[in-house]
């Protein structure tokens, strides 16, 4: 079953799994590339970015119960070591926006073209195929992956 989303030009926009890079560009594809970016297109891109890697919120570090005296003379146990990569300091002011809102704001502020976003979809799909299924990311990983593929596509 093929699910399609309509672009702002009125033409159906194929889901990323139906993109065929080996096929020649058709007038319909070229028309989609030159269309305005719609909310449906952003939803498809956000869905593809979320499917690249499983992202979960980072658990907070447990506070250490060791005293300061004698802490410098021994090696930390494996459960006392800092996480790798280090966690970002959390505060009430910093939070990750929803991916759809992040992409929308980025598109509006940077005036990204539809062709660049379509290329971003292709890169997201290729990355998903190369990452191991057990790969896990932090809360902001999907945002970072989208941004990286957008930069490469541009």
């Amino acid at each position: 079953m093929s699910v399609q989303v309509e672009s702002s030009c009125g033409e159906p926009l194929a889901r990323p799994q139906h993109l065929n890079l080996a096929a020649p560009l058709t007038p319909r594809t070229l028309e989609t590339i030159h269309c305005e970016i719609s909310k449906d297109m952003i939803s498809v891109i956000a869905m593809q970015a979320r499917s690249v890697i499983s992202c979960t919120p980072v658990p907070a570090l447990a506070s250490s119960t060791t005293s300061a005296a004698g802490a410098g003379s021994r090696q930390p146990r494996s459960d006392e070591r800092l996480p790798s990569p280090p966690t970002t300091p959390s505060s009430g002011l910093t939070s990750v926006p929803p991916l759809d809102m992040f992409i929308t704001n980025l598109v509006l502020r940077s005036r990204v073209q539809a062709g660049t976003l379509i290329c971003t979809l292709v890169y997201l799909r290729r990355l998903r195929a190369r990452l191991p299924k057990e790969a896990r990311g932090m809360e902001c990983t999907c945002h970072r992956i989208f941004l990286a593929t957008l930069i490469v596509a541009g």
Side-chain angles (χ1 to χ4, degrees):
M1 179 170 85
S2 174
V3 179
Q4 297 201 348
V5 177
E6 218 172 84
S7 72
S8 60
C9 295
E11 293 293 319
L13 176 67
R15 295 284 184 179
Q17 62 265 26
H18 297 294
L19 290 175
N20 182 3
L21 295 179
L25 290 176
T26 63
R28 185 171 152 194
T29 306
L30 291 174
E31 185 177 325
T32 303
I33 289 172
H34 295 293
C35 287
E36 289 185 24
I37 299 165
S38 67
K39 288 182 181 181
D40 290 336
M41 186 182 286
I42 289 174
S43 295
V44 170
I45 293 165
M47 177 189 67
Q48 184 68 29
R50 278 188 217 100
S51 72
V52 172
I53 191 168
S54 175
C55 299
T56 56
V58 177
L61 268 179
S63 61
S64 178
T65 58
T66 58
S67 64
S73 62
R74 65 176 182 85
Q75 289 287 352
R77 294 188 330 230
S78 63
D79 60 336
E80 293 176 342
R81 290 187 189 143
L82 293 176
S84 180
T87 57
T88 304
S90 62
S91 70
L93 302 174
T94 59
S95 66
V96 179
L99 190 57
D100 292 53
M101 186 189 317
F102 175 77
I103 294 172
T104 301
N105 287 335
L106 194 78
V107 165
L108 291 175
R109 291 180 182 176
S110 63
R111 294 180 283 174
V112 174
Q113 297 179 356
T116 306
L117 289 178
I118 291 171
C119 188
T120 300
L121 280 173
V122 173
Y123 286 137
L124 287 168
R125 184 172 180 224
R126 289 180 180 180
L127 181 60
R128 179 180 169 201
R130 289 183 182 255
L131 280 178
K133 300 290 183 207
E134 57 275 351
R136 300 284 179 260
M138 298 182 342
E139 188 177 12
C140 61
T141 301
C142 293
H143 297 68
R144 292 177 178 195
I145 286 175
F146 165 75
L147 190 57
T149 55
L150 181 67
I151 290 169
V152 171

